[in-house]
């Protein structure tokens, strides 16, 4: 959609409803296509831990030629791979990983209070049956089909009291936020004293320093540098841990070896999980 048309639609309050309907329709058609084309691949091999479907392989997602140099050239762990989407329910590898980690490492009490940023459909629907969940985003109208009660929230100025949540999930959120250190501090503030935040981001295990330039405000350059038009950095692994610690978190990293048992769920084999404790 060109910028002028987008601006006109936003002024008439039609942009979000039209975009949401378009995305929903496209997702439905994509899902039907995958169900049909992956029918020959049904059978033992990989299992979706949301819908229970079994396939010998899942749907791949690889970076396009415009962003591949940023992703592959910097060895970014960003969710791309050969087994990303479940052909049946379209759950993504990073959703399935979070579910598996919560089930094994973070069993939810019935009264648990969860804050879920930019909620993924399958993960949100599973969580809402196990705890009290609040969802937020800076563009909440894009998510009303997932959670009609989603509310607006700026991660750098969260509208919640101290210690409001037992678990916070921000799955690939911080790389979008210029003032990420403020967002980390805010997440730490709203966590209960025994609370845990799962704060996943694209990161590079080989970059010597986080790749970012606050002066860049151009979607094309951001895509070329960081691998996505609305990303503002690629985190270096060690620097990401340092930033989390600076915000007050005690970080426990589940490395790929710790997570190997979850590969049956078609998770990304090289991804680590960042469990960030309030203290």
């Amino acid at each position: 959609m060109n910028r002028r048309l987008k601006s006109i639609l936003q002024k008439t309050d039609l942009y979000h409803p039209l975009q949401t309907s378009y995305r929903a329709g496209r997702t439905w058609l994509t899902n039907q296509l995958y169900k049909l084309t992956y029918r020959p691949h049904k059978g033992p091999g990989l299992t979706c831990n949301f819908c229970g479907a079994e396939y010998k392989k899942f749907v791949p997602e690889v970076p396009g030629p415009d962003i591949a140099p940023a992703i592959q050239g910097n060895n970014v762990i960003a969710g791309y791979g050969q087994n990303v989407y479940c052909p049946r329910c379209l759950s993504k590898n990073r959703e399935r990983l979070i579910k598996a980690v919560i089930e094994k490492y973070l069993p939810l009490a019935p009264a648990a209070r969860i804050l879920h940023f930019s909620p993924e459909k399958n993960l949100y629907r599973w969580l809402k049956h196990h705890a009290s969940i609040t969802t937020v985003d800076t563009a909440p109208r894009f998510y009303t089909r997932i959670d009609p009660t989603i509310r607006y929230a700026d991660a750098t100025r969260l509208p919640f009291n101290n210690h409001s949540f037992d678990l916070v999930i921000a799955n690939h959120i911080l790389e979008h936020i210029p003032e990420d250190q403020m967002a980390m501090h805010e997440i730490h503030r709203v966590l209960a004293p025994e609370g845990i935040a799962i704060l996943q981001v694209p990161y590079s295990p080989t970059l010597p320093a986080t790749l970012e330039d606050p002066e860049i405000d151009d979607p094309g350059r951001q895509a070329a540098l960081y691998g996505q038009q609305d990303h503002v950095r690629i985190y270096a692994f060690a620097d990401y841990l340092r930033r989390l610690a600076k915000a007050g978190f005690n970080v426990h990293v589940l490395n790929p070896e710790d997570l190997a048992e979850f590969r049956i769920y078609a998770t990304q084999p090289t991804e680590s999980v960042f469990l960030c404790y309030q203290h």
Side-chain angles (χ1 to χ4, degrees):
M1 182 182 296
N2 67 52
R3 292 188 177 184
R4 184 176 181 183
L5 177 58
K6 179 178 177 179
S7 177
I8 293 172
L9 290 174
Q10 286 175 326
K11 290 178 181 178
T12 59
D13 207 31
L14 291 173
Y15 177 69
H16 289 96
L18 289 174
Q19 274 283 14
T20 301
S21 296
Y22 168 73
R23 292 180 184 185
R26 185 179 64 180
T27 298
W28 184 86
L29 288 173
T30 299
N31 197 189
Q32 302 313 304
L33 177 64
Y34 288 159
K35 286 179 180 178
L36 178 64
T37 57
Y38 275 76
R39 189 175 297 167
H41 304 296
K42 282 188 174 182
L46 299 170
T47 302
C48 176
N49 57 350
F50 285 107
C51 71
E54 293 185 322
Y55 289 88
K56 297 178 179 65
K57 65 178 183 177
F58 278 26
V59 182
E61 184 178 37
V62 297
D66 56 330
I67 64 171
I71 300 297
Q72 297 169 351
N74 292 304
N75 299 310
V76 180
I77 312 300
Y80 293 104
Q82 292 305 305
N83 297 291
V84 176
Y85 293 98
C86 169
R88 181 178 175 185
C89 72
L90 293 185
S91 69
K92 200 169 183 180
N93 51 6
R94 64 196 195 195
E95 284 184 90
R96 296 189 295 272
L97 178 59
I98 297 301
K99 180 177 186 286
V101 166
I102 290 174
E103 287 182 313
K104 178 169 182 178
Y105 294 98
L106 310 172
L108 296 172
R113 302 161 298 168
I114 301 174
L115 177 62
H116 191 181
F117 287 86
S118 306
E120 300 94 338
K121 180 186 71 174
N122 293 284
L123 184 57
Y124 165 76
R125 290 179 178 175
W126 175 72
L127 287 169
K128 76 175 183 177
H129 293 297
H130 293 82
S132 172
I133 183 167
T134 299
T135 62
V136 295
D137 192 77
T138 54
R141 293 174 67 184
F142 281 134
Y143 293 88
T144 53
R145 287 176 180 258
I146 295 174
D147 178 13
T149 67
I150 189 170
R151 56 189 293 187
Y152 172 86
D154 177 349
T156 66
R157 297 172 181 81
L158 291 172
F160 305 110
N161 294 330
N162 295 351
H163 314 315
S164 292
F165 300 99
D166 304 297
L167 174 64
V168 175
I169 301 171
N171 205 1
H172 289 240
I173 299 298
L174 292 168
E175 69 275 13
H176 296 266
I177 302 173
E179 298 172 326
D180 64 329
Q181 200 70 68
M182 288 180 62
M184 292 176 188
H185 277 286
E186 277 292 273
I187 292 170
H188 183 270
R189 178 184 66 79
V190 302
L191 266 182
E194 302 299 323
I196 301 173
I198 303 176
L199 305 179
Q200 297 300 101
V201 296
Y203 67 90
S204 169
T206 57
L207 275 176
T210 293
L211 182 62
E212 61 185 338
D213 184 345
E215 299 301 316
I216 296 176
D217 184 19
D218 176 83
R221 292 184 64 194
Q222 288 169 242
L225 282 172
Y226 311 130
Q228 193 164 306
Q229 290 186 351
D230 55 354
H231 285 190
V232 296
R233 68 182 60 82
I234 296 174
Y235 286 103
F237 180 84
D239 183 52
Y240 184 54
L241 295 179
R242 181 191 64 78
R243 295 186 191 205
L244 291 170
K246 184 178 179 181
F249 289 109
N250 179 12
V251 184
H252 176 61
V253 179
L254 297 174
N255 61 45
E257 291 72 28
D258 299 321
L259 304 169
E261 65 183 286
F262 303 142
R263 291 176 191 169
I264 191 174
Y265 303 134
T267 57
Q268 189 172 21
T270 55
E271 184 172 9
S272 295
V273 170
F274 303 93
L275 300 182
C276 305
Y277 291 79
Q278 211 271 354
H279 70 276

